[in-house]
Every structure is written in structure tokens, then in C-alpha cells.
Amino acid sequence: MTHPTLLLLSGSLRKGSYNRMLLAQAAEAFGPANVIEGDLDLPLYNGDLEEAEGVPEKVKTLAAQIKDADAVVVGSPEYNKGITGVLKNGLDWISRLPGWPLKDKPTVVVSASAGRTGGETAQFMTLSCLTQHQARLIPGTAVLIAGAMNAFDDDGRLKDETSQKLLTERMEGLRAELG
Ligand SMILES: Cc1cc2nc3c(=O)[nH]c(=O)nc-3n(C[C@H](O)[C@H](O)[C@H](O)COP(=O)(O)O)c2cc1C
């Protein structure tokens, strides 16, 4: 039996990122899958670079991974009450290729942030950007992990059962979309 391909996109590049931890938990809750993490460590979008050298290979790889995925989960941290530059830059780059790779792609956004709102503003902005990409945003209660530095145990697992249950529900909802 072939498993669906689940693509994870983290708006934080750091190794110890809480959003990457949350994405790992999301992937586990999604169930058996071919899990891939897209690389958003891309050059800053610059129209001159694009004109001189074309779209970077890393961006083409990312777009192909998104296109081939059955479902996408985005981890959207919050920087200064907004979407991170890393995530926005990645979304801007992939929009420069024909075909809108996220179009109709079943997608869920989750967030972990240090503040009390768990990155709600950034998640809202991310959902808005993904609407422009015509992603198929699967509705559900927002997964917002507040006080992220205290929310995970040493193994990177969510400590709070309610949050884990909600994440599981959202991932079940995403999987159900695959038919
Ligand atoms: C430039 C910058 C801006 C930040 N702004 C916010 C913010 O607006 N709201 C918030 O809850 N946390 C904010 N934080 C703290 C992040 O939530 C925290 O660094 C978190 O760990 C980032 O996600 P990550 O662990 O996946 O890297 C900010 C952090 C940085 C570096």
C-alpha cells in the first residue's frame, strides 16, 4: 500500500524551532505517510536575480515537492505580530513559477509562538497569503501553541493534552480530505 505524501513547511529555520516540533507532532498525528520537509532556506526574492539567473533550483525543487504532495502542513511562527520573512519569501518565490503548486492542495496551518496568543495574528496572515495561492484550506479550530518554550517536553512532544487532541483532530480532518 502506498502512503500519502505529507509536506511540512516551517516558517522558522532554526534547528530547535518549536514550529518544527509542532510539525513533527502533526506528521505523527496524520498517520502513515511519506513525510517530507520543504526547504525554505532560500535567497531573498529579488527580481534582478530572477531576471539574471532565473528561478533558483531550490525553489523549483520546493515547488515540485509541493505539487507532488497529497497534503501540506505549514508551521507559522509569529514575528512582530506577522508572518515570518522566511515563510513569506518562500511563498513569494513559488508564485513565480507557472502552475501555482499550492492550488487546491489540502493544507492546514499550525502555530507555536512565545507570546500569549500562540501566533494567532501570524497564522491569520499566513492563511490570507495561502488564499492568494488558492490552497484548499481545511477548516477547523486553530492550533495555536502559546508560551511555546514551555509547551514541549524534552522529546519535543506537546505537554498539553487538549492541544494534542486538537492537533490530532485537525490532522484527521486533513487526512479525510484525501479520500
Ligand atoms: C524577530 C522576532 C519577533 C518576534 N515576535 C513575536 C511576536 O510578535 N509574537 C510572539 O508570540 N512571539 C514573537 N517572537 C518570539 C517567537 O515566538 C519565538 O522566538 C518562537 O520560538 C519562534 O518560533 P520557532 O521556535 O519555531 O523558531 C519573536 C521572535 C523573533 C526572533
Side-chain angles (χ1 to χ4, degrees):
M1 193 187 128
T2 52
H3 294 312
T5 297
L6 180 68
L7 184 79
L8 309 177
L9 296 176
S10 172
S12 169
L13 299 177
R14 52 182 207 104
K15 214 159 40 153
S17 158
Y18 299 118
N19 285 276
R20 292 175 79 192
M21 285 183 200
L22 187 57
L23 287 173
Q25 294 294 284
E28 194 176 307
F30 184 81
N34 172 29
V35 180
I36 297 173
E37 189 179 343
D39 184 4
L40 294 183
D41 194 359
L42 305 169
L44 275 181
Y45 176 76
N46 177 337
D48 291 342
L49 171 78
E50 184 185 19
E51 203 173 301
E53 299 173 21
V55 174
E57 281 308 313
K58 278 180 95 172
V59 174
K60 290 183 186 163
T61 300
L62 177 66
Q65 285 174 330
I66 294 171
K67 210 170 170 114
D68 290 347
D70 296 294
V72 173
V73 186
V74 179
S76 174
E78 181 168 273
Y79 281 2
N80 297 304
K81 292 290 163 200
I83 187 171
T84 62
V86 163
L87 183 52
K88 184 68 168 68
N89 187 53
L91 291 173
D92 289 342
W93 263 125
I94 61 165
S95 74
R96 302 300 296 162
L97 288 163
W100 294 95
L102 276 163
K103 189 173 188 306
D104 297 328
K105 195 67 65 185
T107 302
V108 166
V109 181
V110 296
S111 298
S113 236
R116 278 176 301 161
T117 61
E120 189 172 25
T121 308
Q123 185 172 128
F124 193 72
M125 280 176 74
T126 302
L127 290 167
S128 171
C129 293
L130 290 170
T131 301
Q132 166 68 10
H133 285 255
Q134 300 174 51
R136 181 144 61 94
L137 298 170
I138 309 306
T141 305
V143 175
L144 299 162
I145 308 301
M149 53 288 188
N150 300 315
F152 296 87
D153 67 18
D154 291 345
D155 297 321
R157 308 185 78 82
L158 279 168
K159 290 185 201 166
D160 177 47
E161 264 179 47
T162 308
S163 301
Q164 179 60 53
K165 194 164 166 273
L166 175 56
L167 182 65
T168 301
E169 273 170 25
R170 293 300 307 273
M171 290 305 109
E172 284 170 357
L174 181 61
R175 197 173 186 109
E177 286 293 317
L178 312 187

